[in-house]
Amino acid sequence: MGGERRSPPRSPLHLGPWQVNMQYDHKRIEQEWRDRWKAEKTYHVENDPSKPKYYVLDMFPYPSGAGLHVGHPLGYIASDIVARYKRHSGFNVLHPMGYDSFGLPAEQYAIQTGQHPAKTTEINLARYREQLDRIGFSFDWDREVRTSDPNYYKWTQWIFLQLFDSWYDTAQDKARPIAELIARFEERGCKGQDASVLTGDIEEFVGEFDAAEWKAFDERTKQLVLQYFRLAYLSDAWVNWCPALGTVLANDEVKDGVSERGGHPVERKKMRQWSMRITAYAQRLLNGLDDLDWSTSLKESQRNWIGRSEGALVRFALTPNPSPKERGGMPSDPQADSEGKRNSATERPAYLTADFKSASELQQFARDNRKEPTEAEDRLWQVIRGSATGGRIRRQHAIDKYIVDFVSLPKQLVIEVDGDIHEHQEDEDSGRTHMLQELGFEVIRFTNQEVMADAIAVRESIIVALSKRPDFNTTRHSPLSSGEGQGVREIEVFTTRPDTLFGVSFLTLAPEHELVSILTTDERRAEVEAYVKTASNRSERDRQAEVDKVSGVFTGSYAKHPFTGADVPIWVGDYVLAGYGTGAVMAVPGGDQRDWRFAKHFGLPIIAVTEGADIEKEADERKDATICSEGFLKGLKVPEAITRAIQELEKLNAGEGRINFRLRDAAFGRQRYWGEPIPVYYKDDIPYAVKEEHLPLILPEVDKFLPTEDGEPPLARATDWHYSPLVGRGAGGEGHYPLETTTMPGWAGSSWYFLRYMDPKNEGRFASPEAIKYWGQVDLYMGGSEHATGHLLYFRFWTKFLHDRGWLPFDEPAKKLVNQGMIQGVSQSVGVAYVSLDHMVTKENRGMRIPLREGGYFEFMNSHKFLRYNEEGVPIAQTVLMEADAKLLRDFEGMNRLYAQEINVPVQVVVDGTLNVVDYMKSLEGQKHEDAVFVSEAGVWHEGKFTPFAGAEPLGVRTKPVVEKMSKSKLNVVNPDEIISKYGADTLRLYEMFLGPLEQSKPWDTNGIEGTFRFLRKFWNLFRISGDPNAPSSTDAPVASTHRVDLKVDLDETEPTKPEFKALHATLKKVTEDIEHMSFNTSVSQFMIAVNELGSLKCHKRHVLEPLTIALAPFAPHIAEELWHLLGHKTSVTLAPWPKFDEKHLVEDNFSYPISFNGKTRMVLELPASLTKEEVEAIVLANPEVQQRLEGNSPKKVIVVPKRIVNIVV
RNA sequence: ACGGACGUGGCGGAAUGGUAGACGCGCUGGUCUUAGGAACCAGUACUGCAAGGUGUGGGGGUUCGAGUCCCCCCGUCCGUACCA
């Protein structure tokens, strides 16, 4: 194998056996140095506190099976240059690499092939590593981490447990151990502020209780209450369910209604689900952005994703008439869990993200409406609440005109507890039961005595009854209303413009809003239900596509305006999103264009709210307008009016200032196999943490990677998926409890990996405090902008959390972040048409004609020569490929029964814009267009034969280049391995950097690479290297042996001349500055300039070439290392100190002054650089050419900027 | 629609408010070669025979001086997308 690497350079100069001029042989050099670096652990990094540290990190790659294309290493090369540069500059540099090796693609592949994902992942990693190794990165592979390694995910699980064991204390504004919350409950219970649950997607909230009540709760109830506070929590939440992938996805994993990976449709589904309370950190995630050195676009993306908006929550009281109380419903219990549909992350005051009633309001409510729940009801509630029955039971829920005791909505099962009242009202009860059955509900009844005697037995009966019911899971269609245990009193809306309150002419509810059915009057019910049904049947995509269509319907009900007391009609409209704010808006057609369009469409009143608005034409959304509404806001500017309106609302207890976030809590459980097991077991259906000493909880073996027949996640297939706190994981039995069967999402492992690199082998902690203190934050984080709202948000969230709990001294992971741009591919496209049979053989018997570029036609005659036949010998449609020339295509499209389009052909079979037909045909063997007819300007190809038009030479089909994303499916992928074997890794590295600014997207053009390759060869030749090409190469010797001795340099040891020094130091200066500014394309240019200059100066001096070699080392490490050793050094160039540039070599005696007249440069005068302004002016004006240009006029003004320019104003 | 980035030769792209087009590709001509898809030399924004003139998406402004700063418009790309 060494022999092959030693193969002679492409054009050896046959000067004789000895002292041959040795040409740059990248294959030999690169292989040799890669081996030696590995053997000598050149890039090994110690945690060495005596040296300043620098942490350069690349975003965690997920190695798919597809392998790298030339776009992938771009960021790695840039970060490697910085890492190497910092090392030369005296820093101890941490520049690690590892793999995000859990994930969906490997699992999908496993399902398809039956192979264990660990195995296919291993293969992918090996291939990825091999490709990385070829590029010459300075990674310390001893620090490699893999998220799927139990030694790694042990700590991912540990962090999960920390989150499970924490709650967010809004007073201290940080996460605290849950024990502190328990202590607080024991001391003062849960009241007011404390009772506020903080979350986006959670739909329940904790009632108030005092210390005594807390202590009286049984263990189960306590645990259920704590669920509402934990940062990792289990709840019934609306999730993005992807049926094709069989799992839940986080919001950032869904794009345009389909999964980001694979593009499968995603639907909204309500599921019991692990979530992460990232919403608690919304404000801090926002604030933290200000101090980060990240690109503005990335910070903007995060700001938009978090979506903070300030405004007010306004309560519109409902007019009495249609309220359920008056319609015969029973009064309700405000202390029971109030659902109040919180999809929003509405907060108050700072970080509270759930909606909740203010204490005063609750009390008032309680006074008005309190219904003492019977003891039996309460008893039963304690045992069936939450998820005790396997699904959620709601209490005191309004159905049609009744309020039932308990109901399971998905199962449409009503549970009634009959006390004395019912016994006296049997007639009425049977009517009620009948009515509920009409509505599709089953009703089961228990007596007070039954419940009091054995509530658990009653629960079991309920569970049995539930299990017999089909799963309706159609909450939004059910004729249900306001939520658990609460009569409808008001509608809450969120608005950013409370100053426009006087312009409210109607309210609009989202079709999914829970008040819709209860507010709908009987005469409007049919219409409203039809509308809601249509709206809900439309997919997210349809809805998005039809944003300009106005639709809606009136419910028949009215609300009261908080200021004027006027009746405000309540409408339903699908322009209101259920998921944002409260799912209801106050419509101000005069101030909001969406409301305006709705009002215009339905003829609703449009009230002017601002001065100077032309409300007939459009709404006035200006934020600097003056309010014109009569009343206390009149004459105020918008910002002042907002403040004033909020004050007035608060006075009336009709609303208050609010901050609303768009950010939702993140779904954390995946119904998949290939991920970290969530270290939780269930006792009595309550999740408990697996003990730390039992971590890692190893991913179990399963027979198949598919869900079970009951739809349980794959982990449920494992036979040993039980846990005992005493002995750990086991097969079950006494004292063993079932373990959680969902696994963590891909982002779990990547949210903290930067910490593990600091101390990757630590068995006692995720990383030692010393290592964390030393390495600290990432100094440079390099990666793609596609992670803006996913990884980078979770990454920051976990860091802040670990900081809160005292594990980290900093609360942001990466100070500086750079997004490398994409390298785009250049696709080559041709036209394709499918010519139908009847067109070919009929058409007035003329056969098929193809119009040609220069006019005229090529005719497929009636010979059927080009027809394709199927097995029965019947001719079928023929594929025709032709030049992707617009005219040609157009002509095809215009012809009957033809279908024409453009397709890409592999870039490998295109040379200089011409498709090599023969190669292409070969690549298509057995595929779609295998027997296509190719029509080019010169003739027609068919079955490998060329039929020329008169006099034409055989020619391929001309292709059209299109710049687009580089991807396998677009057939435009350029593989780095091919580039490396032809030009070497150093050339690849230089060229990728040379292509353009790092952060910009730019197309890859392999043709341009020759320039950088030539540069390296020229640089090599400056060293005048000679040797014996037949001498044994050190590549045949053990890798650790000393460097080969058969090459030598012929350098000039004398002191460099001034121009030589200048060429060197100008380069050192520019390159140093450019690396600091990450402007690598210009540093490569500068190296080229230097080499060109030194070449024309015929400079072969050690004192010039040696520093230049060090400066080149970060960019082209292999050649630099080789030359460094040829210069006589015994240690790696990596250890050489960075050469300092000296300004004195750049000082010129003379300066060529551009002389401009009125700013336009007309001539250049070389003058001594030491001259003062006045001297320059005098000399310039005395110059005859200047005089000639002045034509005797004296200049109005002369501007002299020393060593820069002279400008003469005439 | 909103937010962000950007707009310079045939192409990728240079240019602290100071000679626009560095460097590279491509192209043209030449040298050397059996040959060139090797190497080297020269040229290459546009226009004009030339002197010269014109040029950084368009228009306006600030300045002695604008690719660069400010305002308006046009266009491209990337996010987000009825967010109240």
Side-chain angles (χ1 to χ4, degrees):
Chain A
M1 56 180 285
E4 185 162 328
R5 254 176 262 121
R6 248 188 302 138
S7 62
R10 280 190 290 178
S11 42
L13 306 171
H14 294 288
L15 301 177
W18 274 96
Q19 300 301 304
V20 169
N21 188 0
M22 294 300 283
Q23 295 217 356
Y24 170 49
D25 175 7
H26 66 265
K27 283 198 176 171
R28 196 262 307 158
I29 294 169
E30 294 186 355
Q31 184 61 55
E32 192 165 310
W33 283 107
R34 277 198 287 270
D35 291 346
R36 277 190 62 180
W37 289 333
K38 196 171 175 185
E40 294 170 13
K41 289 195 178 291
T42 305
Y43 302 116
H44 181 72
V45 183
E46 288 291 333
N47 294 2
D48 175 3
S50 72
K51 279 204 252 172
K53 70 93 186 185
Y54 195 85
Y55 190 174
V56 186
L57 184 61
D58 296 291
M59 284 184 195
F60 225 11
Y62 176 84
S64 72
L68 295 179
H69 65 61
V70 290
H72 291 120
L74 182 73
Y76 301 157
I77 294 169
S79 60
D80 195 55
I81 290 169
V82 174
R84 288 171 178 273
Y85 164 74
K86 286 287 176 183
R87 220 169 268 139
H88 286 296
S89 308
F91 288 89
N92 190 25
V93 177
L94 182 56
H95 184 218
M97 180 52 76
Y99 311 105
D100 185 9
S101 47
F102 272 135
L104 283 176
E107 184 164 355
Q108 287 298 98
Y109 190 73
I111 291 169
Q112 283 161 24
T113 64
Q115 288 187 73
H116 197 287
K119 206 167 171 184
T120 54
T121 300
E122 192 62 43
I123 293 166
N124 290 349
L125 294 194
R127 171 152 160 69
Y128 200 84
R129 171 71 190 271
E130 203 184 301
Q131 286 191 298
L132 286 182
D133 276 349
R134 257 188 283 237
I135 307 174
F137 294 120
S138 63
F139 299 128
D140 177 2
W141 285 105
D142 291 344
R143 289 176 183 258
E144 178 196 302
V145 303
R146 297 177 181 194
T147 54
S148 59
D149 177 353
N151 292 323
Y152 181 86
Y153 69 68
K154 172 182 179 177
W155 298 105
T156 311
Q157 292 173 333
W158 180 85
I159 293 170
F160 172 86
L161 291 182
Q162 302 305 307
L163 284 153
F164 181 71
D165 184 52
S166 300
W167 64 295
Y168 202 85
D169 181 351
T170 52
Q172 291 188 57
D173 199 11
K174 61 176 178 179
R176 300 300 306 153
I178 201 99
E180 288 184 11
L181 182 68
I182 295 170
R184 181 189 290 214
F185 285 164
E186 282 172 357
E187 193 190 316
R188 52 184 158 118
C190 179
K191 288 260 157 68
Q193 285 272 327
D194 291 347
S196 47
V197 182
L198 341 133
T199 266
D201 230 34
I202 194 169
E203 296 223 342
E204 290 154 302
F205 103 119
V206 186
E208 300 188 334
F209 49 82
D210 60 26
E213 283 174 298
W214 168 258
K215 286 176 193 151
F217 287 156
D218 59 15
E219 169 62 14
R220 192 188 154 71
T221 309
K222 282 181 180 171
Q223 288 298 331
L224 284 169
V225 169
L226 293 178
Q227 276 298 312
Y228 297 122
F229 292 88
R230 296 182 188 276
L231 292 187
Y233 64 97
L234 201 54
S235 74
D236 291 311
W238 284 102
V239 295
N240 306 302
W241 173 256
C242 179
L245 293 174
T247 191
V248 156
L249 300 171
N251 283 350
D252 61 272
E253 293 168 318
V254 180
K255 284 233 159 77
D256 299 325
V258 299
S259 69
E260 200 179 18
R261 281 211 165 127
H264 306 292
V266 169
E267 51 194 54
R268 297 288 284 170
K269 190 175 173 185
K270 201 159 193 181
M271 282 180 72
R272 192 175 179 219
Q273 196 57 228
W274 281 99
S275 296
M276 283 283 165
R277 213 178 293 278
I278 189 173
T279 49
Y281 283 87
Q283 187 66 50
R284 281 170 66 192
L285 288 168
L286 201 56
N287 295 346
L289 288 172
D290 296 341
D291 303 321
L292 292 180
D293 184 6
W294 293 15
S295 73
T296 43
S297 65
L298 202 142
K299 290 206 250 185
E300 250 346 276
S301 291
Q302 291 217 340
R303 288 194 183 104
N304 290 339
W305 190 262
I306 296 168
R308 181 186 202 265
S309 46
E310 281 182 47
L313 191 77
V314 184
R315 287 184 282 272
F316 284 78
L318 293 173
T319 53
N321 185 30
S323 89
K325 197 169 173 180
E326 277 73 15
R327 289 156 77 215
M330 293 178 73
S332 61
D333 177 7
Q335 270 208 325
D337 292 13
S338 152
E339 168 161 298
K341 77 146 308 299
R342 278 322 133 228
N343 278 341
S344 77
T346 307
E347 72 151 19
R348 191 191 65 176
Y351 308 110
L352 304 186
T353 47
D355 185 49
F356 62 103
K357 305 277 177 266
S358 71
S360 65
E361 194 207 346
L362 269 177
Q363 281 155 15
Q364 193 187 340
F365 217 141
R367 270 197 302 279
D368 288 350
N369 252 350
R370 169 153 286 170
K371 175 218 169 200
E372 295 295 336
T374 67
E375 212 182 331
E377 276 173 31
D378 213 36
R379 178 86 187 96
L380 186 58
W381 179 234
Q382 294 309 329
V383 299
I384 63 172
R385 63 185 297 178
S387 44
T389 57
R392 199 156 67 86
I393 303 288
R394 291 158 195 257
R395 182 186 200 187
Q396 294 290 328
H397 201 95
I399 298 177
D400 196 49
K401 58 183 181 179
Y402 301 111
I403 289 184
V404 300
D405 291 338
F406 303 101
V407 61
S408 161
L409 296 182
K411 299 284 188 182
Q412 306 226 336
L413 180 78
V414 169
I415 302 138
E416 298 269 50
V417 177
D418 296 339
D420 300 340
I421 303 170
H422 295 299
E423 280 162 23
H424 292 250
Q425 297 182 344
E426 266 175 23
D427 282 355
E428 195 184 300
D429 278 356
S430 64
R432 176 181 163 116
T433 302
H434 181 71
M435 187 67 160
L436 288 168
Q437 282 165 347
E438 293 270 281
L439 289 166
F441 285 86
E442 185 183 330
V443 181
I444 55 174
R445 295 182 177 280
F446 299 95
T447 63
N448 281 346
Q449 292 90 322
E450 280 174 302
V451 172
M452 295 313 288
D454 190 349
I456 299 296
V458 171
R459 182 172 84 197
E460 292 310 309
S461 312
I462 293 169
I463 291 171
V464 169
L466 282 170
S467 69
K468 287 182 184 155
R469 296 285 293 170
D471 196 341
F472 294 89
N473 206 8
T474 49
T475 346
R476 62 158 69 141
H477 300 154
S478 63
L480 298 170
S481 53
S482 64
E484 271 177 296
Q486 191 178 309
V488 184
R489 303 277 305 184
E490 60 198 14
I491 293 177
E492 289 183 325
V493 301
F494 176 75
T495 177
T496 54
R497 295 289 303 275
D499 56 309
T500 62
L501 248 161
F502 287 105
V504 173
S505 49
F506 55 100
L507 301 184
T508 315
L509 309 185
E512 298 89 344
H513 198 284
E514 284 163 313
L515 294 184
V516 168
S517 77
I518 205 169
L519 287 173
T520 301
T521 55
D522 289 340
E523 54 273 25
R524 305 210 64 88
R525 186 162 301 276
E527 199 188 336
V528 171
E529 280 176 358
Y531 179 71
V532 169
K533 197 165 180 173
T534 322
S536 63
N537 282 344
R538 267 202 305 167
S539 72
E540 240 355 79
R541 300 191 89 165
D542 295 344
R543 191 159 162 163
Q544 279 175 23
E546 294 170 17
V547 286
D548 32 299
K549 259 197 193 162
V550 176
S551 72
V553 64
F554 178 45
T555 61
S557 292
Y558 294 84
K560 270 214 179 320
H561 193 288
F563 290 154
T564 65
D567 280 347
V568 181
I570 301 169
W571 284 66
V572 178
D574 69 357
Y575 79 99
V576 178
L577 301 178
Y580 184 75
T582 63
V585 301
M586 55 178 229
V588 184
D592 183 293
Q593 191 57 30
R594 293 157 304 183
D595 297 338
W596 187 91
R597 282 177 50 216
F598 196 84
K600 215 42 177 183
H601 189 261
F602 290 107
L604 293 158
I606 299 172
I607 305 164
V609 287
T610 48
E611 282 175 12
D614 181 5
I615 54 167
E616 274 310 302
K617 265 176 68 190
E618 61 183 354
D620 176 13
E621 297 187 335
R622 290 172 303 152
K623 303 242 156 65
D624 56 352
T626 304
I627 301 298
C628 67
S629 312
E630 286 306 324
F632 50 81
L633 297 178
K634 191 177 172 68
L636 293 177
K637 288 276 184 194
V638 168
E640 293 93 69
I642 289 175
T643 314
R644 180 69 195 275
I646 292 172
Q647 284 170 6
E648 296 295 328
L649 283 169
E650 285 175 352
K651 267 191 221 165
L652 295 169
N653 195 23
E656 60 262 336
R658 258 305 158 91
I659 292 155
N660 197 43
F661 290 97
R662 200 183 80 115
L663 185 71
R664 290 296 108 86
D665 274 352
F668 195 73
R670 295 295 121 96
Q671 289 66 21
R672 304 292 301 216
Y673 176 73
W674 193 231
E676 300 89 344
I678 294 176
V680 153
Y681 66 95
Y682 291 90
K683 190 163 91 185
D684 204 11
D685 260 342
I686 297 289
Y688 289 92
V690 165
K691 284 188 172 170
E692 201 177 318
E693 70 214 55
H694 293 134
L695 298 182
L697 182 64
I698 308 255
L699 189 62
E701 291 306 316
V702 294
D703 56 345
K704 271 191 240 168
F705 307 107
L706 291 168
T708 65
E709 285 66 34
D710 317 332
E712 290 287 304
L715 290 199
R717 292 177 173 276
T719 51
D720 55 350
W721 206 233
H722 291 265
Y723 176 79
S724 150
L726 297 175
V727 297
R729 187 177 143 196
E734 188 66 22
H736 279 71
Y737 302 97
L739 280 160
E740 170 64 50
T741 54
T742 60
T743 51
M744 299 190 200
W747 55 266
S750 58
S751 293
W752 72 279
Y753 73 115
F754 80 111
L755 298 166
R756 190 63 179 171
Y757 282 133
M758 299 172 178
D759 193 8
K761 306 271 194 296
N762 196 320
E763 291 183 4
R765 278 195 55 167
F766 63 90
S768 73
E770 298 75 39
I772 292 169
K773 186 169 175 244
Y774 177 60
W775 292 112
Q777 290 166 284
V778 173
D779 295 284
L780 174 64
Y781 196 31
M782 180 78 63
S785 53
E786 68 273 18
H787 297 109
T789 50
H791 161 65
L792 288 172
L793 218 45
Y794 302 124
F795 192 45
R796 297 180 58 219
F797 161 41
W798 279 31
T799 303
K800 285 182 187 301
F801 165 73
L802 290 171
H803 169 77
D804 284 359
R805 290 296 309 268
W807 300 100
L808 302 179
F810 46 83
D811 78 340
E812 284 287 349
K815 282 192 277 201
K816 182 180 170 71
L817 184 147
V818 173
N819 291 128
Q820 83 274 21
M822 248 201 307
I823 290 190
Q824 296 151 307
V826 181
S827 304
Q828 301 290 344
S829 74
V830 298
V832 56
Y834 304 97
V835 183
S836 69
L837 170 66
D838 51 351
H839 200 104
M840 291 176 91
V841 296
T842 61
K843 194 83 184 180
E844 296 141 18
N845 234 12
R846 280 193 302 122
M848 172 64 208
R849 308 202 306 174
I850 294 179
L852 297 174
R853 183 192 301 272
E854 311 298 346
Y857 294 90
F858 174 76
E859 306 207 8
F860 284 76
M861 301 307 286
N862 291 330
S863 64
H864 293 190
K865 187 175 159 193
F866 297 110
L867 283 185
R868 203 171 105 207
Y869 298 86
N870 68 9
E871 286 120 12
E872 284 89 44
V874 179
I876 52 173
Q878 175 66 57
T879 303
V880 179
L881 291 185
M882 74 210 116
E883 296 179 359
D885 174 80
K887 183 176 176 296
L888 216 54
L889 260 182
R890 211 168 37 244
D891 291 346
F892 258 88
E893 280 162 357
M895 301 178 83
N896 281 337
R897 298 186 194 85
L898 286 174
Y899 168 57
Q901 64 182 122
E902 287 185 12
I903 59 160
N904 286 352
V905 295
V907 289
Q908 288 78 9
V909 297
V910 176
V911 177
D912 284 339
T914 304
L915 177 69
N916 183 323
V917 173
V918 177
D919 283 356
Y920 183 45
M921 300 287 279
K922 271 188 218 151
S923 77
L924 284 178
E925 235 156 46
Q927 287 179 49
K928 204 171 168 191
H929 305 307
E930 189 187 15
D931 57 354
V933 176
F934 293 77
V935 181
S936 81
E937 207 174 341
V940 173
W941 292 82
H942 187 233
E943 288 170 343
K945 281 201 203 115
F946 183 69
T947 310
F949 301 145
E953 291 292 307
L955 197 73
V957 175
R958 294 222 300 233
T959 58
K960 190 167 83 178
V962 182
V963 173
E964 55 191 351
K965 198 177 159 189
M966 189 175 281
S967 85
K968 222 173 180 177
S969 63
K970 297 197 191 315
L971 305 176
N972 60 6
V973 168
V974 180
N975 185 322
D977 297 348
E978 288 165 23
I979 304 285
I980 289 170
S981 64
K982 192 162 176 198
Y983 300 100
D986 285 339
T987 299
L988 175 76
R989 290 171 61 109
L990 280 169
Y991 187 55
E992 294 229 353
M993 292 299 102
F994 183 67
L995 229 39
L998 180 64
E999 305 193 32
Q1000 259 172 48
S1001 290
K1002 55 254 162 184
W1004 177 269
D1005 173 18
T1006 304
N1007 289 328
I1009 203 167
E1010 293 281 351
T1012 47
F1013 184 62
R1014 267 197 279 272
F1015 153 73
L1016 283 180
R1017 214 159 41 194
K1018 285 190 219 167
F1019 185 65
W1020 174 267
N1021 289 336
L1022 286 176
F1023 288 74
R1024 295 194 294 203
I1025 293 158
S1026 58
D1028 176 6
N1030 299 314
S1033 157
S1034 64
T1035 46
D1036 295 329
V1039 284
S1041 75
T1042 50
H1043 190 67
R1044 54 188 289 146
V1045 290
D1046 54 341
L1047 285 187
K1048 63 178 192 194
V1049 289
D1050 174 15
L1051 292 179
D1052 181 346
E1053 304 287 340
T1054 61
E1055 186 73 0
T1057 62
K1058 188 162 177 58
E1060 287 167 347
F1061 263 137
K1062 195 191 164 197
L1064 169 66
H1065 285 269
T1067 301
L1068 295 180
K1069 180 178 183 191
K1070 178 106 178 91
V1071 169
T1072 307
E1073 288 169 359
D1074 283 350
I1075 295 178
E1076 301 276 0
H1077 296 120
M1078 313 267 297
S1079 173
F1080 304 111
N1081 55 330
T1082 51
S1083 19
V1084 178
S1085 299
Q1086 184 59 41
F1087 279 121
M1088 290 173 169
I1089 294 168
V1091 164
N1092 289 344
E1093 273 176 21
L1094 294 176
S1096 49
L1097 290 167
K1098 303 218 174 348
C1099 171
H1100 307 286
K1101 288 178 178 164
R1102 171 183 291 273
H1103 299 299
V1104 173
L1105 296 178
E1106 195 167 277
L1108 217 47
T1109 302
I1110 304 171
L1112 186 64
F1115 296 83
H1118 308 87
I1119 191 176
E1121 192 78 283
E1122 172 84 357
L1123 292 170
W1124 182 250
H1125 282 74
L1126 288 176
L1127 284 162
H1129 298 278
K1130 298 286 175 240
T1131 54
S1132 171
V1133 67
T1134 313
L1135 304 170
W1138 190 252
K1140 293 264 177 303
F1141 72 87
D1142 192 339
E1143 202 72 51
K1144 83 177 178 209
H1145 296 297
L1146 303 178
V1147 177
E1148 287 284 353
D1149 296 336
N1150 289 329
F1151 180 79
S1152 294
Y1153 277 94
I1155 311 297
S1156 56
F1157 291 79
N1158 293 331
K1160 296 218 182 284
T1161 306
R1162 297 297 179 213
M1163 51 191 283
V1164 175
L1165 277 183
E1166 183 158 320
L1167 300 172
S1170 55
L1171 294 183
T1172 64
K1173 260 186 180 182
E1174 291 70 26
E1175 288 167 330
V1176 171
E1177 182 171 342
I1179 295 171
V1180 167
L1181 288 179
N1183 184 284
E1185 209 182 325
V1186 173
Q1187 283 300 326
Q1188 198 192 326
R1189 283 187 177 277
L1190 285 171
E1191 293 168 341
N1193 303 318
S1194 60
K1196 263 191 205 153
K1197 199 172 175 184
V1198 178
I1199 287 106
V1200 177
V1201 183
K1203 289 206 269 184
R1204 196 128 285 164
I1205 202 169
V1206 177
N1207 189 18
I1208 300 169
V1209 186
V1210 195

